[in-house]
Amino acid sequence: MADDQTIIRTGLTTILNAQVGIEVIAQAADGHEAVVLARRLRPDVCLFDIRMPLMDGVEATRQLAGPGVEDPLAVVVITTFDTNEYISGALRAGAKGFLLKDAGPELLVQAIHAAAEGDALIAPRITARLLAGFADSASPSERTQPITALTDREEEVAAAVARGGTNAEIAVELHISLSTVKFHLASLMNKVGVRNRVEIVIWAYETKRVRP
């Protein structure tokens, strides 16, 4: 966990250590320290603030989970600032989740578990605005279509992911098994050339497959 405010780190640590299956193994007061600790300890999930001294949360995320990083770590960003610049920057840098600090403990715990399992969770109140921004700002050259055409089922999975569905929810919606959802996700990511479900969401909106 990384946040430059001691009281925030202490509060979040208390909340998270009280949850079943979650243990805070290290704290950092700046992004540089966070990257050093994360590379050494390899936590299941990193929880980063955006604004920190020496290195901000976006750059720390990029160094641990960004394009070209071998064996990337799962990062969830939690912040007071919900500007499109911070949100899109964090997600493009590889974050698997983005929450505001007023989201509440339940949503925070859900985001951490989702990231640990390879899923993603973005605070619901900012999702539509954020993805509308991706869709509107993408130039035609950025709206890359897959080299190999997606199957009908892969198109359905992509749309379900873009609407915020978890693997379990998609399985129920499409009447398929959880393992089948994971199979289609892996195939979809390979064809589209993305590494995680957040990037699938961005791609789905940029290619106009889903509209806000």
Side-chain angles (χ1 to χ4, degrees):
M1 175 197 304
D3 193 295
D4 61 334
Q5 298 183 48
T6 302
I7 192 169
I8 297 295
R9 294 198 307 273
T10 302
L12 289 175
T13 297
T14 300
I15 291 170
L16 294 176
N17 280 341
Q19 306 301 315
V20 176
I22 296 180
E23 179 187 3
V24 178
I25 61 172
Q27 298 181 33
D30 61 72
H32 175 72
E33 182 184 14
V35 170
V36 171
L37 286 171
R39 285 174 172 165
R40 176 164 59 87
L41 299 174
R42 304 292 303 178
D44 294 322
V45 179
C46 300
L47 185 64
F48 291 165
D49 186 20
I50 284 283
R51 290 188 177 180
M52 294 186 289
L54 300 183
M55 181 187 298
D56 65 21
V58 173
E59 180 57 30
T61 299
R62 184 176 294 109
Q63 292 197 20
L64 296 172
V69 175
E70 294 185 10
D71 196 15
L73 293 171
V75 178
V76 172
V77 172
I78 178 169
T79 182
T80 305
F81 309 98
D82 65 345
T83 65
N84 283 357
E85 178 184 2
Y86 285 140
I87 301 166
S88 61
L91 297 180
R92 291 186 187 279
K96 288 190 173 180
F98 193 103
L99 298 177
L100 300 178
K101 287 181 179 177
D102 63 359
E106 183 177 352
L107 196 60
L108 174 60
V109 170
Q110 289 178 17
I112 290 173
H113 281 302
E117 295 166 5
D119 260 337
L121 191 153
I122 304 171
R125 87 183 206 200
I126 64 176
T127 301
R129 174 169 60 85
L130 166 66
L131 296 175
F134 281 132
D136 292 340
S137 64
S139 66
S141 62
E142 291 176 317
R143 298 182 185 125
T144 305
Q145 300 296 333
I147 296 175
T148 304
L150 302 184
T151 65
D152 290 343
R153 183 62 85 188
E154 287 167 349
E155 291 281 8
E156 290 175 336
V157 170
V161 170
R163 291 192 296 268
T166 64
N167 287 358
E169 290 168 341
I170 294 170
V172 172
E173 176 186 343
L174 300 181
H175 306 289
I176 56 179
S177 69
L178 193 59
S179 60
T180 301
V181 174
K182 293 178 180 178
F183 171 81
H184 287 307
L185 275 174
S187 178
L188 178 61
M189 286 188 281
N190 183 58
K191 288 182 178 180
V192 174
V194 300
R195 299 173 308 152
N196 56 56
R197 34 190 325 122
V198 170
E199 292 181 4
I200 290 177
V201 174
I202 295 171
W203 174 83
Y205 276 84
E206 288 181 340
T207 56
K208 306 298 184 182
R209 278 171 164 76
V210 179
R211 294 179 180 274

